[in-house]
Amino acid sequence: MSGRDTYTITASRSDGWWALTVSGPGLKRSYHTQVKRLEQAEEMTRDLLVTMLDVSEIDADFDLAMADDEVATELEATLVARLAATLVKRRAAEATQATVADLARRGYVHRDIGYLLGMSHQAVGKLLNEVEKEPVSSAEEASARSRALSSFKDMFDRLPMAHGTEALLKSYLLDAAENDPMDLKLDRLRALGERLRHRRRRRLTDA
């Protein structure tokens, strides 16, 4: 997670424009501006902050939130589902590679492995070459991965979400993440979970 300041940009549609409400560190109140397209929101917010904070530049993170709660919930659920699908796909790839390696160790030829897994013998050979090139994970890396997974599981145990999304995550996501390297995908998913919890708390506070 970034240690930099984070500014929240809340967007809502207004007569063909996007009305933006900006809040965050150093601002005495929320400020308003507008853009034609959402992709312009961050640049416009930076310009606004430079003026309001009387600084030459802004080094910060920006969290874009939708003012329409129904749209925000739908987008969040979709983003979580897409990230979950990415991790599940990765888990499937890792399982395929592990199975190919195991069958090869048992003496199965490439064409038989490919037939059993529904893939070409060339793909089998490529996977085996990748296995040979992969370094063996150290005990320290394995311990760090275990700690990250424990924190990851705890976050999702505490994360309120729609029943359908929760079922998807708990059925597939944690298993997919168990052997997933601690890379950008896991960091992004953890960050998304934190944003989901933050937005839900904010809605409850504003209600």
Side-chain angles (χ1 to χ4, degrees):
M1 298 294 291
S2 171
R4 300 189 302 173
D5 288 338
T6 298
Y7 291 89
T8 299
I9 308 169
T10 304
S12 59
R13 291 292 292 167
S14 178
D15 297 326
W17 289 75
W18 285 100
L20 308 178
T21 301
V22 181
S23 59
L27 297 177
K28 296 181 179 179
R29 61 176 178 83
S30 297
Y31 287 88
H32 305 278
T33 185
Q34 64 180 9
V35 292
K36 195 66 176 178
R37 299 186 304 277
L38 280 179
E39 63 188 28
Q40 301 167 331
E42 183 175 325
E43 181 180 359
M44 181 64 73
T45 299
R46 285 183 182 277
D47 291 342
L48 174 67
L49 291 173
V50 164
T51 301
M52 293 299 102
L53 299 177
D54 191 23
V55 295
S56 59
E57 61 179 6
I58 295 295
D59 181 23
D61 294 322
F62 297 91
D63 183 9
L64 180 66
M66 302 300 292
D68 186 325
D69 190 68
E70 184 177 346
V71 171
T73 299
E74 182 179 358
L75 286 171
E76 289 165 2
T78 300
L79 287 170
V80 169
R82 288 175 62 186
L83 285 170
T86 297
L87 287 176
V88 170
K89 182 178 180 180
R90 186 182 186 120
R91 175 57 177 145
E94 291 177 347
T96 300
Q97 187 178 62
T99 300
V100 166
D102 181 62
L103 294 178
R105 283 192 295 267
R106 293 172 182 269
Y108 287 48
V109 299
H110 290 192
R111 289 187 181 277
D112 287 342
I113 295 174
Y115 177 78
L116 291 170
L117 291 175
M119 56 197 299
S120 69
H121 67 89
Q122 292 94 337
V124 170
K126 182 179 179 181
L127 284 177
L128 290 174
N129 286 334
E130 292 173 356
V131 170
E132 293 175 357
K133 293 178 182 178
E134 287 184 352
V136 178
S137 297
S138 67
E140 183 178 348
E141 289 174 335
S143 177
R145 184 178 301 173
S146 177
R147 290 195 301 271
L149 176 62
S150 177
S151 172
F152 184 71
K153 287 182 176 178
D154 180 63
M155 181 195 73
F156 276 101
D157 284 340
R158 293 181 285 108
L159 177 61
M161 63 185 76
H163 177 72
T165 305
E166 181 178 12
L168 172 66
L169 288 170
K170 292 196 173 182
S171 294
Y172 301 106
L173 184 55
L174 294 181
D175 179 61
E178 185 170 0
N179 293 316
D180 198 63
M182 291 183 299
D183 59 6
L184 181 61
K185 290 185 175 63
L186 191 56
D187 290 339
R188 285 179 61 196
L189 195 54
R190 186 183 297 110
L192 176 59
E194 291 294 342
R195 289 202 299 273
L196 284 168
R197 288 200 296 130
H198 171 72
R199 291 177 184 175
R200 182 64 58 90
R201 286 197 301 269
R202 188 175 64 206
R203 290 175 200 146
L204 292 176
T205 301
D206 294 342

